[in-house]
Structures are given as structure tokens and as C-alpha cells.
Amino acid sequence: MNPHPSDHIWWLAGRASGIVALLLISASVLIGLAMASKLFRRPGLPRVLSALHEQLAVAGLIAIGAHGVTLLGDAYLHPGLAGIAIPFTIGYRPGFVAAGIVGGYLAAALGLSYYARRRIGSKRWRNVHRYIVAAWLLSVVHTLGAGTDAAIPAVRWAVLAPIVPAVALFAARWVPRPRRPVAAPPRAVPPPVGAAPDPS
């Protein structure tokens, strides 16, 4: 049975939401790495970047959810709930689809942990949150391996372009910065010979 033309709407929605999700998560990861590397120290800028980082991450998670839901209506894949929720249960490129499923779970768990950071502890939360990069990389693998648009040059470059700055920003976190020399305290200048003593 061939899919009805209206069924293409679900296919298009699934493709669009998947690409949007990856772009949003990529932008959020880049901003997060930039903040962690402390490259932007202008007054007020870290707060703006933090808010943008959070908003992009939440929007990305919503897009991931929309990607999974719209795939349920795809008449070609017929993934079923298990196919979009349990790795390796779908017949279509199971390894690449599993990468997307695991990446989505990691992105949701690590992204939403931001709202429990006080209970987790700030230091412990930061140590765990940095693994969001792994979720992003799994999403990149999923898009390139399972996405039907991966062969389009514009899509491929949009997916791969953030990798170079991400690697550079991640490496910048481990490069030691030169310490600023501590200024020596001013030396007292002796009064000239024959000057009256200071009454204080």
C-alpha cells in the first residue's frame, strides 16, 4: 500500500524538526563551551549568553520531542512507539537511529539537570553537564547516518560546520592562561634631607 500524499506532511515535519533540533542543540553547545572557556568577559555578557544558552537548549529539546512524535505518523517508516523510544528496535538503519535515541535521552537528562543543580551541587552538576557534548556528537552521527537529507551539501555542511569551533573551544578550556603579574606595593619615598617631619 502506497502512502497517501498527505502522509508526506509527517515525513517533512520529521525531517524539519530533526534538523532544527540539531541546529538548536549545536548553537547551545557552542555557547556553553564559549562560556566555560571564559573567552567573553565583558560586563553583563555572561548573563546574556547564559540566558541564550538555556533558551536554545530548551527549544532544542522541544524540537527533539517533535521529531520523535512526527516520525510516528511517517507511513514509510512505521516506527511505532518502540522504534522511536528503544534503541535497535527499528529496522531502518538501527545503529544510526539508536545513536539519535541515546543522544536524545542524554540531551534531555543533562539539559534538564540544570534545574536541579542546587540539589545536585554546583560542582558535581558542572562535571556531569559537560557530557552534553557526547549527546550532541551522537546527534550528529544520527543525522549523517539516518537523515534522508544528509546527502544534500547544504545540510551536511550545516551539520559539520559547528564541529571545528566546538573542538577549538573545548581545547581552550584545557590551555593554561598566563597569570597576570601582581603589582608590587608602592615603595615609600624618603623625604628630602632637611625637610620638616610629618606631624602625623
Side-chain angles (χ1 to χ4, degrees), residues 7-126:
D7 294 332
H8 290 294
I9 296 175
W10 293 103
W11 179 63
L12 292 171
R15 294 165 63 195
S17 56
I19 293 173
V20 168
L22 181 62
L23 293 178
L24 289 171
I25 296 297
S26 297
S28 178
V29 166
L30 288 177
I31 292 175
L33 289 173
M35 291 191 300
S37 61
K38 299 181 180 178
L39 295 177
F40 305 100
R41 297 187 177 183
R42 292 179 56 186
L45 187 57
R47 182 176 299 179
V48 173
L49 290 177
S50 179
L52 182 59
H53 173 64
E54 178 186 358
Q55 292 166 6
L56 287 170
V58 172
L61 292 177
I62 293 173
I64 289 173
H67 179 55
V69 170
T70 51
L71 287 178
L72 289 174
D74 192 324
Y76 173 77
L77 285 178
H78 287 295
L81 188 58
I84 65 167
I86 303 174
F88 302 107
T89 57
I90 193 172
Y92 175 78
R93 301 181 183 180
F96 290 113
V97 173
I101 294 172
V102 174
Y105 286 146
L106 277 177
L110 298 176
L112 296 176
S113 68
Y114 172 80
Y115 301 101
R117 65 191 186 283
R118 292 183 180 178
R119 182 173 299 180
I120 298 172
S122 296
K123 184 177 181 180
R124 184 180 300 172
W125 173 79
R126 283 194 297 269

Side-chain angles (χ1 to χ4, degrees), residues 33 36-37 127 130-131 166-177:
L33 289 173
S37 61
N127 290 334
R130 67 182 57 180
Y131 289 101
V167 170
L169 289 170
F170 189 78
R173 298 177 59 179
W174 306 103
V175 176
R177 295 179 179 83

